[in-house]
mmCIF file of all heavy atoms in Angstrom:
data_model
loop_
_atom_site.group_PDB
_atom_site.id
_atom_site.type_symbol
_atom_site.label_atom_id
_atom_site.label_comp_id
_atom_site.label_asym_id
_atom_site.label_seq_id
_atom_site.Cartn_x
_atom_site.Cartn_y
_atom_site.Cartn_z
ATOM 1 N N GLY A 1096 79.638 26.022 140.305
ATOM 2 C CA GLY A 1096 80.821 25.797 141.116
ATOM 3 C C GLY A 1096 80.784 26.518 142.448
ATOM 4 O O GLY A 1096 79.854 27.256 142.770
ATOM 5 N N PRO A 1097 81.827 26.321 143.251
ATOM 6 C CA PRO A 1097 81.897 26.929 144.581
ATOM 7 C C PRO A 1097 82.423 28.362 144.526
ATOM 8 O O PRO A 1097 82.998 28.794 143.518
ATOM 9 C CB PRO A 1097 82.897 26.028 145.308
ATOM 10 C CG PRO A 1097 83.839 25.606 144.214
ATOM 11 C CD PRO A 1097 82.983 25.429 142.981
ATOM 12 N N GLN A 1098 82.242 29.076 145.619
ATOM 13 C CA GLN A 1098 82.919 30.349 145.782
ATOM 14 C C GLN A 1098 84.249 30.094 146.469
ATOM 15 O O GLN A 1098 84.295 29.532 147.572
ATOM 16 C CB GLN A 1098 82.108 31.342 146.613
ATOM 17 C CG GLN A 1098 82.816 32.688 146.734
ATOM 18 C CD GLN A 1098 82.416 33.488 147.955
ATOM 19 O OE1 GLN A 1098 81.743 32.959 148.851
ATOM 20 N NE2 GLN A 1098 82.813 34.751 148.015
ATOM 21 N N VAL A 1099 85.340 30.500 145.813
ATOM 22 C CA VAL A 1099 86.677 30.378 146.391
ATOM 23 C C VAL A 1099 87.296 31.770 146.359
ATOM 24 O O VAL A 1099 87.658 32.259 145.294
ATOM 25 C CB VAL A 1099 87.550 29.383 145.598
ATOM 26 C CG1 VAL A 1099 88.933 29.266 146.234
ATOM 27 C CG2 VAL A 1099 86.882 28.009 145.525
ATOM 28 N N PRO A 1100 87.417 32.454 147.497
ATOM 29 C CA PRO A 1100 88.007 33.790 147.508
ATOM 30 C C PRO A 1100 89.375 33.813 146.850
ATOM 31 O O PRO A 1100 90.146 32.831 146.937
ATOM 32 C CB PRO A 1100 88.079 34.122 149.005
ATOM 33 C CG PRO A 1100 86.985 33.308 149.616
ATOM 34 C CD PRO A 1100 86.964 32.023 148.829
ATOM 35 N N ALA A 1101 89.715 34.924 146.218
ATOM 36 C CA ALA A 1101 90.929 35.004 145.405
ATOM 37 C C ALA A 1101 92.187 34.663 146.191
ATOM 38 O O ALA A 1101 93.049 33.915 145.710
ATOM 39 C CB ALA A 1101 91.043 36.398 144.792
ATOM 40 N N LEU A 1102 92.321 35.189 147.392
ATOM 41 C CA LEU A 1102 93.535 34.923 148.158
ATOM 42 C C LEU A 1102 93.582 33.486 148.664
ATOM 43 O O LEU A 1102 94.664 32.905 148.814
ATOM 44 C CB LEU A 1102 93.659 35.914 149.310
ATOM 45 C CG LEU A 1102 93.886 37.370 148.883
ATOM 46 C CD1 LEU A 1102 94.039 38.267 150.104
ATOM 47 C CD2 LEU A 1102 95.109 37.496 147.966
ATOM 48 N N GLN A 1103 92.422 32.896 148.919
ATOM 49 C CA GLN A 1103 92.385 31.479 149.283
ATOM 50 C C GLN A 1103 92.815 30.634 148.086
ATOM 51 O O GLN A 1103 93.583 29.670 148.245
ATOM 52 C CB GLN A 1103 90.980 31.084 149.718
ATOM 53 C CG GLN A 1103 90.841 29.613 150.100
ATOM 54 C CD GLN A 1103 89.417 29.256 150.504
ATOM 55 O OE1 GLN A 1103 88.667 30.079 151.019
ATOM 56 N NE2 GLN A 1103 89.027 28.020 150.251
ATOM 57 N N HIS A 1104 92.341 31.000 146.917
ATOM 58 C CA HIS A 1104 92.778 30.295 145.705
ATOM 59 C C HIS A 1104 94.277 30.449 145.512
ATOM 60 O O HIS A 1104 94.993 29.490 145.208
ATOM 61 C CB HIS A 1104 92.026 30.848 144.493
ATOM 62 C CG HIS A 1104 92.320 30.133 143.215
ATOM 63 N ND1 HIS A 1104 92.201 30.739 141.980
ATOM 64 C CD2 HIS A 1104 92.724 28.861 142.965
ATOM 65 C CE1 HIS A 1104 92.525 29.876 141.040
ATOM 66 N NE2 HIS A 1104 92.836 28.730 141.614
ATOM 67 N N GLY A 1105 94.774 31.663 145.716
ATOM 68 C CA GLY A 1105 96.197 31.908 145.516
ATOM 69 C C GLY A 1105 97.087 31.167 146.498
ATOM 70 O O GLY A 1105 98.280 30.968 146.231
ATOM 71 N N ALA A 1106 96.530 30.750 147.628
ATOM 72 C CA ALA A 1106 97.306 29.999 148.613
ATOM 73 C C ALA A 1106 97.302 28.501 148.348
ATOM 74 O O ALA A 1106 98.014 27.746 149.014
ATOM 75 C CB ALA A 1106 96.762 30.274 150.021
ATOM 76 N N MET A 1107 96.494 28.056 147.379
ATOM 77 C CA MET A 1107 96.406 26.625 147.091
ATOM 78 C C MET A 1107 97.631 26.116 146.338
ATOM 79 O O MET A 1107 98.264 26.863 145.578
ATOM 80 C CB MET A 1107 95.163 26.334 146.232
ATOM 81 C CG MET A 1107 93.849 26.483 146.927
ATOM 82 S SD MET A 1107 92.476 26.111 145.766
ATOM 83 C CE MET A 1107 91.078 26.206 146.870
ATOM 84 N N ARG A 1108 97.940 24.849 146.528
ATOM 85 C CA ARG A 1108 98.873 24.180 145.625
ATOM 86 C C ARG A 1108 98.217 24.043 144.259
ATOM 87 O O ARG A 1108 96.991 24.076 144.142
ATOM 88 C CB ARG A 1108 99.262 22.796 146.162
ATOM 89 C CG ARG A 1108 100.005 22.820 147.496
ATOM 90 C CD ARG A 1108 100.481 21.424 147.878
ATOM 91 N NE ARG A 1108 99.367 20.494 148.027
ATOM 92 C CZ ARG A 1108 98.671 20.327 149.129
ATOM 93 N NH1 ARG A 1108 98.950 21.045 150.214
ATOM 94 N NH2 ARG A 1108 97.672 19.455 149.200
ATOM 95 N N GLN A 1109 99.026 23.864 143.228
ATOM 96 C CA GLN A 1109 98.459 23.729 141.879
ATOM 97 C C GLN A 1109 97.482 22.556 141.803
ATOM 98 O O GLN A 1109 96.427 22.654 141.177
ATOM 99 C CB GLN A 1109 99.579 23.546 140.841
ATOM 100 C CG GLN A 1109 100.423 24.775 140.604
ATOM 101 C CD GLN A 1109 101.533 24.922 141.620
ATOM 102 O OE1 GLN A 1109 102.153 23.944 142.029
ATOM 103 N NE2 GLN A 1109 101.807 26.145 142.037
ATOM 104 N N SER A 1110 97.813 21.457 142.479
ATOM 105 C CA SER A 1110 96.929 20.295 142.455
ATOM 106 C C SER A 1110 95.595 20.605 143.127
ATOM 107 O O SER A 1110 94.546 20.107 142.707
ATOM 108 C CB SER A 1110 97.603 19.106 143.155
ATOM 109 O OG SER A 1110 97.928 19.433 144.499
ATOM 110 N N GLU A 1111 95.607 21.439 144.171
ATOM 111 C CA GLU A 1111 94.367 21.822 144.833
ATOM 112 C C GLU A 1111 93.517 22.705 143.920
ATOM 113 O O GLU A 1111 92.295 22.566 143.861
ATOM 114 C CB GLU A 1111 94.674 22.578 146.125
ATOM 115 C CG GLU A 1111 95.265 21.728 147.237
ATOM 116 C CD GLU A 1111 95.550 22.558 148.466
ATOM 117 O OE1 GLU A 1111 96.378 23.492 148.391
ATOM 118 O OE2 GLU A 1111 94.926 22.296 149.514
ATOM 119 N N SER A 1112 94.146 23.627 143.233
ATOM 120 C CA SER A 1112 93.417 24.481 142.293
ATOM 121 C C SER A 1112 92.730 23.634 141.231
ATOM 122 O O SER A 1112 91.544 23.823 140.934
ATOM 123 C CB SER A 1112 94.374 25.480 141.633
ATOM 124 O OG SER A 1112 93.731 26.198 140.601
ATOM 125 N N ILE A 1113 93.455 22.688 140.681
ATOM 126 C CA ILE A 1113 92.884 21.826 139.644
ATOM 127 C C ILE A 1113 91.715 21.023 140.201
ATOM 128 O O ILE A 1113 90.684 20.857 139.539
ATOM 129 C CB ILE A 1113 93.978 20.903 139.070
ATOM 130 C CG1 ILE A 1113 94.977 21.732 138.237
ATOM 131 C CG2 ILE A 1113 93.368 19.801 138.214
ATOM 132 C CD1 ILE A 1113 96.185 20.943 137.789
ATOM 133 N N ARG A 1114 91.832 20.553 141.406
ATOM 134 C CA ARG A 1114 90.783 19.726 141.987
ATOM 135 C C ARG A 1114 89.535 20.541 142.325
ATOM 136 O O ARG A 1114 88.415 20.065 142.131
ATOM 137 C CB ARG A 1114 91.310 19.038 143.251
ATOM 138 C CG ARG A 1114 90.315 18.072 143.894
ATOM 139 C CD ARG A 1114 90.972 17.165 144.897
ATOM 140 N NE ARG A 1114 91.485 17.879 146.056
ATOM 141 C CZ ARG A 1114 92.775 18.089 146.310
ATOM 142 N NH1 ARG A 1114 93.681 17.622 145.471
ATOM 143 N NH2 ARG A 1114 93.172 18.730 147.381
ATOM 144 N N HIS A 1115 89.704 21.757 142.799
ATOM 145 C CA HIS A 1115 88.566 22.519 143.305
ATOM 146 C C HIS A 1115 87.942 23.481 142.288
ATOM 147 O O HIS A 1115 86.749 23.780 142.389
ATOM 148 C CB HIS A 1115 88.986 23.321 144.545
ATOM 149 C CG HIS A 1115 89.313 22.475 145.730
ATOM 150 N ND1 HIS A 1115 88.361 21.727 146.395
ATOM 151 C CD2 HIS A 1115 90.483 22.234 146.364
ATOM 152 C CE1 HIS A 1115 88.934 21.079 147.393
ATOM 153 N NE2 HIS A 1115 90.218 21.362 147.395
ATOM 154 N N LEU A 1116 88.730 23.993 141.323
ATOM 155 C CA LEU A 1116 88.211 25.035 140.441
ATOM 156 C C LEU A 1116 88.184 24.664 138.967
ATOM 157 O O LEU A 1116 87.533 25.354 138.185
ATOM 158 C CB LEU A 1116 89.036 26.330 140.592
ATOM 159 C CG LEU A 1116 88.762 27.144 141.848
ATOM 160 C CD1 LEU A 1116 89.641 26.678 143.005
ATOM 161 C CD2 LEU A 1116 89.028 28.626 141.610
ATOM 162 N N TRP A 1117 88.866 23.619 138.561
ATOM 163 C CA TRP A 1117 88.923 23.252 137.153
ATOM 164 C C TRP A 1117 87.884 22.163 136.883
ATOM 165 O O TRP A 1117 87.808 21.166 137.599
ATOM 166 C CB TRP A 1117 90.309 22.732 136.786
ATOM 167 C CG TRP A 1117 91.405 23.746 136.938
ATOM 168 C CD1 TRP A 1117 91.738 24.430 138.074
ATOM 169 C CD2 TRP A 1117 92.324 24.170 135.931
ATOM 170 N NE1 TRP A 1117 92.804 25.258 137.837
ATOM 171 C CE2 TRP A 1117 93.187 25.123 136.534
ATOM 172 C CE3 TRP A 1117 92.502 23.838 134.589
ATOM 173 C CZ2 TRP A 1117 94.212 25.746 135.831
ATOM 174 C CZ3 TRP A 1117 93.530 24.457 133.885
ATOM 175 C CH2 TRP A 1117 94.365 25.406 134.502
ATOM 176 N N ARG A 1118 87.094 22.362 135.864
ATOM 177 C CA ARG A 1118 86.070 21.365 135.529
ATOM 178 C C ARG A 1118 86.718 20.038 135.185
ATOM 179 O O ARG A 1118 87.694 19.975 134.441
ATOM 180 C CB ARG A 1118 85.202 21.859 134.358
ATOM 181 C CG ARG A 1118 84.082 20.906 134.019
ATOM 182 C CD ARG A 1118 83.106 21.523 133.047
ATOM 183 N NE ARG A 1118 82.373 22.628 133.660
ATOM 184 C CZ ARG A 1118 81.313 22.477 134.439
ATOM 185 N NH1 ARG A 1118 80.875 21.265 134.732
ATOM 186 N NH2 ARG A 1118 80.699 23.531 134.932
ATOM 187 N N ASP A 1119 86.153 18.979 135.754
ATOM 188 C CA ASP A 1119 86.644 17.613 135.522
ATOM 189 C C ASP A 1119 88.112 17.448 135.893
ATOM 190 O O ASP A 1119 88.813 16.598 135.332
ATOM 191 C CB ASP A 1119 86.455 17.199 134.051
ATOM 192 C CG ASP A 1119 84.998 17.177 133.626
ATOM 193 O OD1 ASP A 1119 84.130 16.950 134.491
ATOM 194 O OD2 ASP A 1119 84.722 17.414 132.435
ATOM 195 N N GLY A 1120 88.602 18.258 136.836
ATOM 196 C CA GLY A 1120 90.004 18.151 137.205
ATOM 197 C C GLY A 1120 90.925 18.408 136.029
ATOM 198 O O GLY A 1120 92.015 17.840 135.937
ATOM 199 N N ALA A 1121 90.488 19.268 135.096
ATOM 200 C CA ALA A 1121 91.254 19.638 133.891
ATOM 201 C C ALA A 1121 91.413 18.467 132.923
ATOM 202 O O ALA A 1121 92.348 18.444 132.124
ATOM 203 C CB ALA A 1121 92.619 20.216 134.261
ATOM 204 N N MET A 1122 90.489 17.492 132.970
ATOM 205 C CA MET A 1122 90.621 16.297 132.135
ATOM 206 C C MET A 1122 89.541 16.184 131.063
ATOM 207 O O MET A 1122 89.361 15.132 130.470
ATOM 208 C CB MET A 1122 90.598 15.050 133.024
ATOM 209 C CG MET A 1122 91.781 14.940 133.974
ATOM 210 S SD MET A 1122 93.369 14.844 133.119
ATOM 211 C CE MET A 1122 93.249 13.198 132.426
ATOM 212 N N THR A 1123 88.801 17.260 130.786
ATOM 213 C CA THR A 1123 87.817 17.210 129.706
ATOM 214 C C THR A 1123 88.521 16.971 128.378
ATOM 215 O O THR A 1123 89.574 17.554 128.107
ATOM 216 C CB THR A 1123 87.022 18.533 129.638
ATOM 217 O OG1 THR A 1123 86.416 18.777 130.907
ATOM 218 C CG2 THR A 1123 85.946 18.475 128.569
ATOM 219 N N LEU A 1124 87.920 16.144 127.528
ATOM 220 C CA LEU A 1124 88.548 15.795 126.260
ATOM 221 C C LEU A 1124 87.557 15.968 125.116
ATOM 222 O O LEU A 1124 86.419 15.506 125.194
ATOM 223 C CB LEU A 1124 89.034 14.348 126.292
ATOM 224 C CG LEU A 1124 89.918 13.894 125.127
ATOM 225 C CD1 LEU A 1124 91.283 14.572 125.208
ATOM 226 C CD2 LEU A 1124 90.080 12.376 125.132
ATOM 227 N N ALA A 1125 87.992 16.652 124.070
ATOM 228 C CA ALA A 1125 87.241 16.687 122.819
ATOM 229 C C ALA A 1125 87.782 15.562 121.948
ATOM 230 O O ALA A 1125 88.965 15.559 121.579
ATOM 231 C CB ALA A 1125 87.401 18.038 122.119
ATOM 232 N N LEU A 1126 86.939 14.591 121.641
ATOM 233 C CA LEU A 1126 87.381 13.401 120.913
ATOM 234 C C LEU A 1126 87.654 13.726 119.461
ATOM 235 O O LEU A 1126 86.788 14.231 118.742
ATOM 236 C CB LEU A 1126 86.310 12.316 121.025
ATOM 237 C CG LEU A 1126 85.937 11.889 122.450
ATOM 238 C CD1 LEU A 1126 84.752 10.925 122.420
ATOM 239 C CD2 LEU A 1126 87.134 11.270 123.144
ATOM 240 N N GLY A 1127 88.846 13.427 119.003
ATOM 241 C CA GLY A 1127 89.227 13.710 117.625
ATOM 242 C C GLY A 1127 88.553 12.770 116.648
ATOM 243 O O GLY A 1127 88.536 11.557 116.844
ATOM 244 N N LEU A 1128 87.998 13.318 115.588
ATOM 245 C CA LEU A 1128 87.357 12.548 114.527
ATOM 246 C C LEU A 1128 88.115 12.740 113.221
ATOM 247 O O LEU A 1128 88.835 13.725 113.031
ATOM 248 C CB LEU A 1128 85.904 12.994 114.343
ATOM 249 C CG LEU A 1128 84.973 12.922 115.561
ATOM 250 C CD1 LEU A 1128 83.584 13.440 115.194
ATOM 251 C CD2 LEU A 1128 84.902 11.506 116.104
ATOM 252 N N GLY A 1129 87.944 11.790 112.310
ATOM 253 C CA GLY A 1129 88.515 11.938 110.976
ATOM 254 C C GLY A 1129 90.021 11.980 110.932
ATOM 255 O O GLY A 1129 90.601 12.576 110.012
ATOM 256 N N GLY A 1130 90.671 11.381 111.901
ATOM 257 C CA GLY A 1130 92.136 11.355 111.896
ATOM 258 C C GLY A 1130 92.787 12.531 112.582
ATOM 259 O O GLY A 1130 94.013 12.598 112.665
ATOM 260 N N GLY A 1131 91.988 13.479 113.099
ATOM 261 C CA GLY A 1131 92.555 14.623 113.793
ATOM 262 C C GLY A 1131 92.852 14.306 115.242
ATOM 263 O O GLY A 1131 92.459 13.258 115.762
ATOM 264 N N PRO A 1132 93.546 15.207 115.931
ATOM 265 C CA PRO A 1132 93.915 14.945 117.323
ATOM 266 C C PRO A 1132 92.736 15.094 118.269
ATOM 267 O O PRO A 1132 91.802 15.858 118.020
ATOM 268 C CB PRO A 1132 94.965 16.024 117.607
ATOM 269 C CG PRO A 1132 94.583 17.155 116.699
ATOM 270 C CD PRO A 1132 94.066 16.504 115.451
ATOM 271 N N SER A 1133 92.751 14.363 119.372
ATOM 272 C CA SER A 1133 91.872 14.655 120.495
ATOM 273 C C SER A 1133 92.486 15.813 121.270
ATOM 274 O O SER A 1133 93.709 15.972 121.300
ATOM 275 C CB SER A 1133 91.705 13.432 121.386
ATOM 276 O OG SER A 1133 90.976 12.413 120.720
ATOM 277 N N ILE A 1134 91.632 16.621 121.900
ATOM 278 C CA ILE A 1134 92.099 17.873 122.479
ATOM 279 C C ILE A 1134 91.650 17.979 123.930
ATOM 280 O O ILE A 1134 90.460 17.867 124.231
ATOM 281 C CB ILE A 1134 91.566 19.074 121.671
ATOM 282 C CG1 ILE A 1134 92.006 18.964 120.201
ATOM 283 C CG2 ILE A 1134 92.047 20.392 122.271
ATOM 284 C CD1 ILE A 1134 91.396 20.025 119.297
ATOM 285 N N ASN A 1135 92.595 18.183 124.819
ATOM 286 C CA ASN A 1135 92.292 18.436 126.221
ATOM 287 C C ASN A 1135 91.736 19.856 126.354
ATOM 288 O O ASN A 1135 92.392 20.820 125.981
ATOM 289 C CB ASN A 1135 93.568 18.280 127.050
ATOM 290 C CG ASN A 1135 93.393 18.678 128.504
ATOM 291 O OD1 ASN A 1135 94.258 19.342 129.059
ATOM 292 N ND2 ASN A 1135 92.291 18.291 129.119
ATOM 293 N N VAL A 1136 90.503 19.988 126.864
ATOM 294 C CA VAL A 1136 89.835 21.287 126.961
ATOM 295 C C VAL A 1136 89.668 21.645 128.438
ATOM 296 O O VAL A 1136 89.009 20.922 129.186
ATOM 297 C CB VAL A 1136 88.457 21.262 126.271
ATOM 298 C CG1 VAL A 1136 87.827 22.653 126.294
ATOM 299 C CG2 VAL A 1136 88.577 20.761 124.825
ATOM 300 N N THR A 1137 90.272 22.742 128.867
ATOM 301 C CA THR A 1137 90.215 23.132 130.268
ATOM 302 C C THR A 1137 89.347 24.374 130.445
ATOM 303 O O THR A 1137 89.504 25.353 129.726
ATOM 304 C CB THR A 1137 91.615 23.405 130.836
ATOM 305 O OG1 THR A 1137 92.301 24.347 130.019
ATOM 306 C CG2 THR A 1137 92.419 22.123 130.883
ATOM 307 N N THR A 1138 88.432 24.324 131.418
ATOM 308 C CA THR A 1138 87.578 25.448 131.751
ATOM 309 C C THR A 1138 87.400 25.499 133.268
ATOM 310 O O THR A 1138 87.688 24.534 133.979
ATOM 311 C CB THR A 1138 86.187 25.334 131.096
ATOM 312 O OG1 THR A 1138 85.555 24.116 131.521
ATOM 313 C CG2 THR A 1138 86.288 25.327 129.572
ATOM 314 N N GLY A 1139 86.883 26.629 133.749
ATOM 315 C CA GLY A 1139 86.699 26.813 135.170
ATOM 316 C C GLY A 1139 85.311 26.417 135.638
ATOM 317 O O GLY A 1139 84.356 26.395 134.870
ATOM 318 N N ARG A 1140 85.219 26.115 136.915
ATOM 319 C CA ARG A 1140 83.951 25.767 137.545
ATOM 320 C C ARG A 1140 83.968 26.358 138.951
ATOM 321 O O ARG A 1140 84.290 25.703 139.931
ATOM 322 C CB ARG A 1140 83.784 24.245 137.595
ATOM 323 C CG ARG A 1140 82.456 23.755 138.188
ATOM 324 C CD ARG A 1140 82.410 22.236 138.193
ATOM 325 N NE ARG A 1140 81.238 21.745 138.921
ATOM 326 C CZ ARG A 1140 81.191 21.560 140.243
ATOM 327 N NH1 ARG A 1140 82.258 21.855 140.981
ATOM 328 N NH2 ARG A 1140 80.088 21.116 140.820
ATOM 329 N N ALA A 1141 83.640 27.645 139.036
ATOM 330 C CA ALA A 1141 83.692 28.370 140.304
ATOM 331 C C ALA A 1141 83.033 29.724 140.096
ATOM 332 O O ALA A 1141 82.775 30.133 138.959
ATOM 333 C CB ALA A 1141 85.138 28.559 140.763
ATOM 334 N N VAL A 1142 82.749 30.420 141.185
ATOM 335 C CA VAL A 1142 82.267 31.797 141.073
ATOM 336 C C VAL A 1142 83.402 32.624 140.466
ATOM 337 O O VAL A 1142 84.467 32.763 141.054
ATOM 338 C CB VAL A 1142 81.865 32.355 142.456
ATOM 339 C CG1 VAL A 1142 81.531 33.839 142.350
ATOM 340 C CG2 VAL A 1142 80.673 31.584 143.014
ATOM 341 N N GLY A 1143 83.172 33.118 139.269
ATOM 342 C CA GLY A 1143 84.220 33.779 138.495
ATOM 343 C C GLY A 1143 84.580 33.012 137.245
ATOM 344 O O GLY A 1143 85.252 33.536 136.350
#
């Protein structure tokens, strides 16, 4: 991921943070098997 300085990140709108620092725009999905739920999995993609 990119380097985004902390104060620059803190100045972003929430939508900007999701677009620039969250992997897959926070849309990663673990597909549910055997009748269980599918699960939205959020992780970071940036220096840090």
Side-chain angles (χ1 to χ4, degrees):
Q1098 182 205 11
V1099 181
L1102 294 182
Q1103 179 181 330
H1104 184 206
M1107 290 180 175
R1108 297 186 299 274
Q1109 290 84 39
S1110 59
E1111 290 179 298
S1112 172
I1113 290 172
R1114 184 165 66 252
H1115 292 293
L1116 284 88
W1117 297 57
R1118 183 170 293 278
D1119 298 332
M1122 295 299 289
T1123 304
L1124 190 70
L1126 302 173
L1128 303 178
S1133 292
I1134 302 174
N1135 173 223
V1136 184
T1137 53
T1138 59
R1140 182 180 172 275
V1142 173

